[in-house]
Amino acid sequence: PEIIVPTSYTIIATANTGGTITPAGSTTVENGGFLIYTVTPDPGFKVADVLVDNVSVGAVSTYTFSTVSADHTITATFTPITYSITATAGANGSITPAGAISVTHGAEATYAIAPLAGYKIADVLVDSVSVGAVTSYTFSNIIANHTITASFTPIVYTLTAAAGANGTVTPSGASNVNHGDSLTYTITPATGFKVADVLVDDISVGAVTTYTFSTVTAAHSLTASFTPIVYTVTAAAGANGTITPSGASNVNHGDSLTYT
């Protein structure tokens, strides 16, 4: 019997969601001819695989049927393009979500940055560039991989101490104290003087010689004043004469008093 050779063949092309294949649908090709297909993903997608007669030929963007001698099928599948965002936090704070997450092309991702008690945000770096000490950051319309890193620093308060004449406060001047820490002051009068009063934030705490700011959560001031030590010298005269000055006389430490 005579063998009849077909004069043409049919190639059927289909594309799943996320892209196109050209030419699409059913195409007739002459016996021995060729046909080139172009596989094009939609924005945000990439070619996942191309099947020719249900056999993978890889994630190709073009495919050529050469010297066609049979019917064929070609199917293109697509997958969303994904990017990685990696978030890290230094000591004494957190960033949420932490670690690496995967996001699709064009999506957005929002991060929350939170310091521990007694700390504040020092800086936030996005792709190694500072965006400031922000508490949140949003990646919009993501089309690349990114990194975000948060660092933290202690909250610092200034304690200021001053002493009036004839005494000292140690430490003097301005001292920086981390949130929650403590600082003790020593108040020392000069020889012949005593502490008159100590004011903490302009309120008297008495004539103390030490004062401790415990668990500091704000700025403070301390001021010490001093007064001379005073002694009483009492003089009395018997009958038939006088002593001057008579009675009780107050004399500062180290001073002199002459009696007649």
Side-chain angles (χ1 to χ4, degrees):
E2 182 181 358
I3 297 176
I4 300 174
V5 177
T7 59
S8 63
Y9 297 96
T10 300
I11 301 177
I12 299 174
T14 56
N16 289 352
T17 301
T20 59
I21 188 168
T22 305
S26 178
T27 302
T28 299
V29 182
E30 293 182 356
N31 183 17
F34 72 94
L35 184 60
I36 300 173
Y37 281 89
T38 302
V39 181
T40 307
D42 292 338
F45 287 82
K46 63 182 178 180
V47 180
D49 199 9
V50 175
L51 301 179
V52 173
D53 300 332
N54 294 320
V55 177
S56 173
V57 293
V60 297
S61 57
T62 63
Y63 185 82
T64 301
F65 289 96
S66 301
T67 316
V68 174
S69 61
D71 294 333
H72 293 288
T73 62
I74 182 170
T75 303
T77 58
F78 306 89
T79 188
I81 297 172
T82 59
Y83 302 100
S84 176
I85 301 180
T86 304
T88 55
N92 304 308
S94 63
I95 188 167
T96 306
I101 64 170
S102 180
V103 292
T104 57
H105 181 98
E108 70 175 35
T110 297
Y111 285 83
I113 300 99
L116 295 179
Y119 291 83
K120 63 182 179 180
I121 299 168
D123 200 8
V124 175
L125 303 179
V126 172
D127 299 333
S128 299
V129 177
S130 173
V131 295
V134 297
T135 57
S136 67
Y137 186 85
T138 298
F139 292 96
S140 301
N141 190 29
I142 297 167
I143 56 174
N145 296 327
H146 293 288
T147 61
I148 181 169
T149 304
S151 58
F152 306 90
T153 188
I155 298 172
V156 177
Y157 303 101
T158 300
L159 276 57
T160 305
N166 304 306
T168 59
V169 173
T170 306
S172 64
S175 298
N176 292 327
V177 181
N178 290 348
H179 180 102
D181 284 356
S182 300
L183 181 61
T184 297
Y185 284 90
T186 300
I187 300 98
T188 306
T191 301
F193 290 82
K194 64 182 179 180
V195 179
D197 197 10
V198 175
L199 302 180
V200 172
D201 300 333
D202 297 323
I203 297 173
S204 174
V205 293
V208 296
T209 56
T210 63
Y211 186 85
T212 299
F213 290 98
S214 300
T215 316
V216 174
T217 59
H220 294 288
S221 65
L222 183 147
T223 305
S225 58
F226 305 90
T227 189
I229 299 172
V230 177
Y231 303 102
T232 300
V233 180
T234 305
N240 305 309
T242 61
I243 188 169
T244 304
S246 64
S249 299
N250 292 327
V251 183
N252 290 348
H253 180 102
D255 285 356
S256 300
L257 180 62
T258 299
Y259 282 87
T260 301

